């Protein structure tokens, strides 16, 4: 049995050391790039949340302006309406529409503020997505699950 010359071992050891160092450098670069991407995603989600909040505030401002404008128009229109019952009905109808708009905006704002924390990081976004998919699949196959529980796992 013959052994290879010692310089060959040294050369192989050098190559192994070089490859190990290259691998460590690549891993460091990948970790830095991942951290950079994570910062970028967090910043973008923060910006999106801020944009949504600004849009909701803008909508609330518009609703307030519309209410004022509607009240001014009511005064002008009500002068032309002769019937007192029609005036009262028109005023109530407009108030109901404005109240529904306010409720809708509060609902949208609440949903936006609930969803925003669930999407701040990539991990939270992934967890939220997986939870939604799991709940959807659970709902979609509810009949099969109840059948399995009733007839297979818990027979009478």
């Amino acid at each position: 049995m013959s052994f290879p010359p010692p310089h060959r071992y040294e050369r192989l050891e050098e190559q192994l050391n070089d490859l190990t160092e290259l691998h460590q450098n690549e891993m460091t670069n990948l970790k830095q790039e991942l951290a950079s991407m994570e910062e970028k995603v967090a910043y973008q989600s923060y910006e999106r949340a801020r944009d949504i909040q600004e849009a909701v505030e803008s909508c609330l401002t518009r609703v307030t302006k519309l209410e004022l404008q509607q009240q001014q128009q009511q005064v002008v229109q009500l002068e032309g309406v002769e019937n007192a019952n029609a005036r009262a009905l028109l005023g109530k109808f407009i108030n109901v529409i404005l109240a529904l708009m306010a409720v809708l905006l509060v609902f949208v704002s609440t949903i936006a503020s609930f969803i925003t924390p669930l999407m701040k990081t990539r991990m939270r976004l992934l967890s939220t997505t997986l939870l939604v998919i799991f709940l959807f699949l659970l709902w979609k196959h509810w009949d099969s699950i109840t059948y399995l529980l009733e007839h297979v796992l818990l027979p009478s």
Side-chain angles (χ1 to χ4, degrees), residues 51-67 101-102 104-106 108-109:
D51 291 344
I52 290 171
Q53 188 66 30
E54 288 174 0
V56 168
E57 289 172 4
S58 172
C59 287
L60 288 173
T61 304
R62 286 183 197 160
V63 167
T64 304
K65 287 180 182 178
L66 285 173
E67 286 176 346
M101 291 281 290
L104 180 67
L105 285 174
V106 168
V108 168
S109 174

Side-chain angles (χ1 to χ4, degrees), residues 58-134:
S58 172
C59 287
L60 288 173
T61 304
R62 286 183 197 160
V63 167
T64 304
K65 287 180 182 178
L66 285 173
E67 286 176 346
L68 282 171
Q69 185 181 12
Q70 193 63 36
Q71 289 173 354
Q72 291 170 352
Q73 287 179 356
Q74 276 181 347
V75 171
V76 173
Q77 289 175 352
L78 292 179
E79 290 172 356
V81 177
E82 300 284 328
N83 193 343
N85 289 336
R87 261 187 271 159
L89 186 61
L90 181 62
K92 289 179 181 179
F93 178 71
I94 290 171
N95 285 337
V96 166
I97 295 295
L98 290 174
L100 288 174
M101 291 281 290
V103 167
L104 180 67
L105 285 174
V106 168
F107 180 71
V108 168
S109 174
T110 303
I111 289 175
S113 65
F114 176 75
I115 290 174
T116 301
L118 298 176
M119 297 186 179
K120 281 192 175 183
T121 64
R122 194 178 325 164
M123 199 61 178
R124 286 186 185 177
L125 181 62
L126 178 66
S127 299
T128 303
T129 304
L130 289 176
L131 179 63
V132 168
I133 290 171
F134 173 75

Side-chain angles (χ1 to χ4, degrees), residues 18-54:
D18 289 344
L19 287 174
T20 303
E21 184 179 338
L22 180 64
H23 179 264
Q24 288 174 345
N25 289 338
E26 287 295 319
M27 289 301 291
T28 303
N29 290 342
L30 286 173
K31 287 178 183 177
Q32 289 173 349
E33 188 175 330
L34 182 63
S36 171
M37 290 174 112
E38 189 173 344
E39 277 183 29
K40 184 178 177 183
V41 168
Y43 177 75
Q44 287 175 346
S45 67
Y46 171 76
E47 288 294 318
R48 281 191 220 127
R50 194 184 70 198
D51 291 344
I52 290 171
Q53 188 66 30
E54 288 174 0

